[in-house]
Amino acid sequence: MNVLEKDIRFLKGVGENREKLFKKLGIKKAEDLLWHIPRKYLDYSKLKKIRELCDGEVESFIAKVAGKPVEIETKSIKIIKIPVEDGTGVVTTVWFNQDYIKNVLKEGEIFCFSGKIERKGFYIEVKNPEFEKYDQHLLHTGRIVPVYNSTEGLSQKVIRNIINNLLNQIDGALEDIIPAYIKQKYNLKDINFAIKNIHFPENKLSLELARKRLVFEEFYLLQLALLLLKENIEKNEGLKIENAQNSLEEFEKFLPFELTEAQKRVLAEIAQDLESTKQMNRLIQGDVGCGKTVVALASAYATIKAGYQVALMAPTEVLALQHYNECKKYFGNKFNVRLLIGSTPKKEKEIILKELEHGLCKMVIGTHALIQDEVKFKNLGLAITDEQHRFGVIQRVELTKKGSSPNILVMTATPIPRTLSLVLYGDLDISIIDQLPPGRKKILTYAVDESFRQRVYNFIKKQLDEGRQVYWICPLIEESETLNAKSAVEFAKSLKEGFFKDYNIGCLHGKLSAKERDKILNDFKDGYIHILVSTTVVEVGINVPNATVMVIENAERFGLAQLHQLRGRVGRGEHQSYCILFNQSDSEIAKKRMIAITRSQNGFEIAEMDLKLRGPGDLFGTKQHGVMNFKVADIINDMDILKQARIAAEETIRLNLVDNKLLEKINKQFYNNIENIGL
């Protein structure tokens, strides 16, 4: 058996007890341990003589144990002091409640020490230093030392020793998957050098080169996966939608409003795709309220008119229901449109499944329920995925596998910086709706602290008395002992019992049943609920034109893109709308973020700022499944390497350098099996 496939417990130094601790860190096999990359490094590499040690600095030195331990006991602590010397001076090592030290630091033996120096005249002391017996292969001192994510019971020394044992066992036998041509062109080190030096760097340059290689590999594999997926789709002969342009123009005539020029431009791009023989594989990207749904429904209309079925997958039941109602509004009784979600009654679900299989249902709108095995289409012609960042690439592909090369349309209301779209949507053609419908008023946005609360309450009361409604967002569902943030349940209760006791207040969160959520949402839409206290479940999918105020508690806990999404729930009617952000943080980053969101209404600008201030993992308020879980790479700081990796991936495909080793690695890392992306 390949050593990397071994269960972690069989590695030298692990055993059954430590196996459980490693599994807490998600480490099950030897290969997982190999890719347990240090979270930071301590530079103990500069060895000094004792006379050179600087007060207050973390220093490394080699010294011989120069005397027997001196023990000092108090009621609560036992102190052990052991002198060490190197011929230029003496240091007293001090240990607290570590009785075993007496048997380890034996008089006359030589050790390497690293720790914070305390000088008091000629007297030098170091408390609880890192140490190890001095030989030619230091792991914990006298070098650049790795520090790993750990758990209670697993010390850094234990992790380092076990990883070092594994590296010695492998001994340079890792197979390099990156083609030699690519390594040479982009000055990349061998994988064995990279893995060894990411864990135990020989020096700073070696660490830098090791990291560059591993960052490149992560980006390179992802870009290859996306490009191969795109290439595979482009090889497919798509479903040609006859007279798509005419059908889109016909649909446009049904609308009670004029499309924006941006919507018309995107529809022209879609029409060109639909009428060609290539499979459409397009992302519609646009700001909150730009009209993506209408463009998607126009595409659905053209597809159904040509005799095919359409599926629209949304991440939540709330959003799926919203799309269903929109669809019924525009299509009327022209087509049989169905809603298939987790809470659909069993009998109704069985009817829908039969209608889909026999082609009687022309369009189905739903959640993840659409990609279940039991869902079968007679002739799926268009697969639409909304709020794509909530899904992984695999789920998108799973939906398209319900048909024979159906056209693919993906939507997101979260504007994504161009650089990041390379990572998330490298397999898609991108259309941008960069224009809002005419007449939309700017949402006045204010960031305030707790001292403004009464003024805000008075302002909201005035809005309510004028007949308007209010969203009030809290970051948590229930009170937390560990997080100092408002909870929706408790906050709704305090509003009901306090300043807003004369108004109807609803509370919406993810723990409610679908039936309970639907009732609360309908009561809010119908105006019965005046204030809707909610978690971010309202981030997408609710359209209440009469709601004019969005209040967000603990705004510092949200990403800018998410705040912008929430703000987009208001400003949908004729009345002036407002967004009020309660910021509880004094940090500089929080202040910068509040300034950014109050000054800009442009989602793309906000997304760029969010990426710089918070990083990619928090861009959407939830981490991108699979794609964003890089072990080494950092999209912001490693953008130059990302661009190189993209070019290299294109070269690899063009030069036909994709071999079985690369395919195996790609599928293992992103898709689990080759069938998922049809390679």
Side-chain angles (χ1 to χ4, degrees):
M1 178 193 275
N2 183 335
V3 64
L4 295 181
E5 293 299 317
K6 278 187 177 180
D7 193 283
I8 189 76
R9 73 176 178 274
F10 296 121
L11 293 182
K12 183 181 176 184
V14 181
E16 288 187 19
N17 291 333
R18 285 176 177 164
E19 175 196 17
K20 293 173 185 174
L21 298 175
F22 274 114
K23 284 187 174 177
K24 281 186 180 180
L25 299 172
I27 299 170
K28 298 176 182 178
K29 293 185 177 295
E31 186 173 16
D32 300 331
L33 185 63
L34 201 66
W35 287 95
H36 188 55
I37 305 299
R39 62 182 173 85
K40 67 174 185 177
Y41 299 87
L42 302 173
D43 190 357
Y44 295 158
S45 61
K46 191 174 181 181
L47 291 169
K48 288 187 175 181
K49 297 292 185 183
I50 289 176
R51 69 179 175 217
E52 299 170 335
L53 300 179
C54 296
D55 183 39
E57 298 293 324
V58 175
E59 305 272 35
S60 296
F61 59 96
I62 298 164
K64 181 172 68 174
V65 180
K68 297 190 182 301
V70 175
E71 299 179 43
I72 304 167
E73 286 197 53
T74 68
K75 286 183 180 178
S76 59
I77 197 167
K78 184 174 185 179
I79 303 171
I80 297 172
K81 294 188 175 186
I82 303 174
V84 299
E85 57 88 19
D86 70 349
T88 71
V90 177
V91 172
T92 300
T93 62
V94 183
W95 312 87
F96 301 95
N97 291 332
Q98 297 186 60
D99 211 38
Y100 76 95
I101 288 291
K102 294 184 295 183
N103 300 319
V104 177
L105 296 183
K106 295 177 180 177
E107 192 170 0
E109 292 188 343
I110 298 175
F111 291 84
C112 189
F113 298 91
S114 295
K116 190 174 181 180
I117 302 301
E118 293 181 33
R119 269 187 179 272
K120 298 170 185 175
F122 292 107
Y123 181 75
I124 307 173
E125 195 174 80
V126 59
K127 293 172 181 172
N128 292 328
E130 287 275 4
F131 73 98
E132 62 188 316
K133 202 161 188 179
Y134 182 64
D135 60 22
Q136 295 303 307
H137 191 63
L138 297 171
L139 287 184
H140 316 291
T141 60
R143 62 172 304 132
I144 296 175
V145 176
V147 179
Y148 298 91
N149 283 331
S150 186
T151 187
E152 190 175 352
L154 269 183
S155 70
Q156 291 295 321
K157 277 192 173 181
V158 166
I159 296 175
R160 287 182 207 126
N161 284 328
I162 293 170
I163 290 177
N164 185 57
N165 291 338
L166 176 59
L167 289 171
N168 288 337
Q169 196 173 350
I170 292 167
D171 193 26
L174 291 175
E175 190 173 27
D176 207 328
I177 58 164
I178 296 184
Y181 163 79
I182 298 296
K183 281 193 296 185
Q184 184 177 0
K185 180 170 181 181
Y186 294 94
N187 192 27
L188 301 173
K189 288 291 185 180
D190 170 79
I191 187 62
N192 290 285
F193 173 95
I195 286 292
K196 181 181 176 184
N197 281 275
I198 202 71
H199 287 290
F200 300 107
E202 294 171 17
N203 49 52
K204 287 182 180 178
L205 178 60
S206 296
L207 175 58
E208 188 181 313
L209 293 172
R211 189 181 179 280
K212 178 188 174 184
R213 157 61 203 244
L214 297 178
V215 168
F216 187 98
E217 181 170 315
E218 285 194 295
F219 284 148
Y220 176 69
L221 288 172
L222 176 61
Q223 293 305 310
L224 273 177
L226 294 171
L227 288 168
L228 288 169
L229 179 58
K230 185 173 185 177
E231 185 183 69
N232 193 58
I233 289 169
E234 288 175 348
K235 282 179 187 173
N236 296 335
E237 187 172 333
L239 297 174
K240 186 175 180 180
I241 304 302
E242 299 289 347
N243 300 314
Q245 183 63 49
N246 292 338
S247 295
L248 292 174
E249 289 171 3
E250 186 179 308
F251 178 81
E252 200 175 332
K253 290 175 185 175
F254 300 154
L255 301 175
F257 52 83
E258 180 79 13
L259 292 177
T260 64
E261 289 305 312
Q263 286 172 310
K264 290 177 181 178
R265 183 184 69 244
V266 171
L267 278 175
E269 292 167 351
I270 289 171
Q272 190 174 356
D273 284 349
L274 294 178
E275 290 183 344
S276 75
T277 54
K278 81 161 194 171
Q279 185 180 14
M280 180 170 73
N281 193 34
R282 187 167 292 278
L283 167 71
I284 304 177
Q285 188 180 358
D287 220 333
V288 178
C290 71
K292 295 178 299 300
T293 303
V294 171
V295 170
L297 292 181
S299 308
Y301 181 82
T303 303
I304 296 168
K305 286 277 287 183
Y308 296 100
Q309 293 170 291
V310 177
L312 192 163
M313 184 168 68
T316 65
E317 293 194 358
V318 171
L319 184 52
L321 181 61
Q322 177 87 16
H323 282 317
Y324 177 71
N325 291 331
E326 286 283 299
C327 193
K328 294 293 283 184
K329 182 171 76 176
Y330 292 124
F331 287 175
N333 295 317
K334 292 182 178 65
F335 309 119
N336 179 16
V337 179
R338 289 292 207 161
L339 179 68
L340 182 60
I341 54 181
S343 58
T344 302
K346 187 178 178 183
K347 283 189 178 179
E348 186 181 344
K349 183 178 181 182
E350 288 173 356
I351 293 169
I352 294 171
L353 291 176
K354 284 183 181 176
E355 288 181 350
L356 283 171
E357 192 168 1
H358 292 95
L360 301 174
C361 172
K362 298 302 180 184
M363 182 169 181
V364 62
I365 298 168
T367 55
H368 297 78
L370 296 182
I371 58 176
Q372 293 174 355
D373 290 341
E374 60 191 338
V375 179
K376 295 180 173 63
F377 293 81
K378 183 179 180 182
N379 57 352
L380 180 64
L382 176 64
I384 305 171
T385 311
D386 194 17
E387 290 304 314
Q388 170 57 41
H389 65 269
R390 300 292 186 88
F391 297 108
V393 176
I394 296 171
Q395 289 163 313
R396 187 204 314 162
V397 174
E398 286 295 327
L399 181 60
T400 62
K401 283 165 64 179
K402 295 291 182 181
S404 176
S405 301
N407 290 304
I408 301 164
L409 196 61
V410 173
M411 298 190 290
T412 179
T414 301
I416 300 161
R418 169 74 185 152
T419 47
L420 189 55
S421 66
L422 275 178
V423 178
L424 293 178
Y425 306 123
D427 60 316
L428 297 166
D429 297 317
I430 298 177
S431 292
I432 297 176
I433 303 179
D434 51 5
Q435 189 179 8
L436 292 176
R440 280 261 175 148
K441 293 180 181 177
K442 181 181 179 181
I443 301 165
L444 300 179
T445 306
Y446 305 95
V448 298
D449 60 24
E450 201 60 32
S451 66
F452 282 79
R453 187 164 292 276
Q454 193 55 52
R455 287 174 63 180
V456 170
Y457 280 22
N458 293 335
F459 172 75
I460 290 170
K461 186 177 185 300
K462 185 181 176 186
Q463 287 284 306
L464 292 170
D465 291 343
E466 289 176 2
R468 308 287 79 79
Q469 290 166 276
V470 177
Y471 292 101
W472 214 310
I473 306 300
C474 297
L476 305 177
I477 294 175
E478 297 166 341
E479 289 292 348
S480 166
E481 292 181 5
T482 56
L483 295 173
N484 183 22
K486 285 189 168 59
S487 77
V489 175
E490 290 300 316
F491 191 66
K493 184 180 176 184
S494 71
L495 292 181
K496 280 179 185 176
E497 295 172 353
F499 193 81
F500 297 99
K501 62 180 184 293
D502 297 328
Y503 303 90
N504 291 330
I505 297 173
C507 186
L508 186 71
H509 54 78
K511 285 190 176 180
L512 297 172
S513 68
K515 190 174 181 181
E516 290 171 320
R517 289 201 304 271
D518 288 348
K519 184 179 187 316
I520 291 169
L521 284 172
N522 287 328
D523 284 348
F524 188 58
K525 287 175 187 174
D526 295 340
Y528 176 71
I529 289 176
H530 304 118
I531 298 175
L532 181 62
V533 178
S534 176
T535 58
T536 55
V537 71
V538 302
E539 184 181 348
V540 291
I542 301 176
N543 186 17
V544 182
N546 191 49
T548 57
V549 183
M550 167 65 69
V551 186
I552 303 174
E553 298 286 344
N554 298 103
E556 74 282 355
R557 295 182 58 81
F558 298 90
L560 285 181
Q562 195 174 24
L563 290 175
H564 182 61
Q565 279 267 20
L566 290 166
R567 176 170 60 183
R569 295 303 100 209
V570 296
R572 292 167 172 260
E574 58 182 305
H575 304 286
Q576 178 62 56
S577 290
Y578 308 86
C579 179
I580 300 166
L581 310 168
F582 275 106
N583 173 35
Q584 309 292 345
S585 174
D586 292 326
S587 76
E588 284 304 310
I589 286 183
K591 289 175 184 175
K592 285 179 182 177
R593 294 174 62 249
M594 294 305 112
I595 291 169
I597 193 75
T598 54
R599 287 183 179 173
S600 178
Q601 305 264 324
N602 184 306
F604 290 93
E605 287 178 5
I606 288 166
E608 288 280 5
M609 181 66 73
D610 212 16
L611 193 60
K612 289 173 185 171
L613 292 177
R614 273 169 64 101
D618 293 312
L619 184 63
F620 309 114
T622 181
K623 286 189 183 258
Q624 167 75 6
H625 298 294
V627 171
M628 303 301 288
N629 297 332
F630 296 121
K631 294 183 183 298
V632 193
D634 178 317
I635 291 175
I636 302 166
N637 296 320
D638 298 323
M639 187 54 64
D640 289 342
I641 301 178
L642 171 59
K643 291 173 182 174
Q644 285 184 342
R646 174 73 177 191
I647 296 168
E650 291 168 346
E651 289 176 344
T652 302
I653 292 172
R654 189 176 69 250
L655 298 172
N656 200 26
L657 297 174
V658 180
D659 57 17
N660 289 332
K661 289 187 299 182
L662 266 176
L663 285 179
E664 188 179 336
K665 182 75 172 180
I666 290 166
N667 283 291
K668 187 174 183 180
Q669 190 150 332
F670 298 107
Y671 303 104
N672 298 320
N673 63 72
I674 289 176
E675 188 183 45
N676 272 329
I677 55 173
L679 296 177

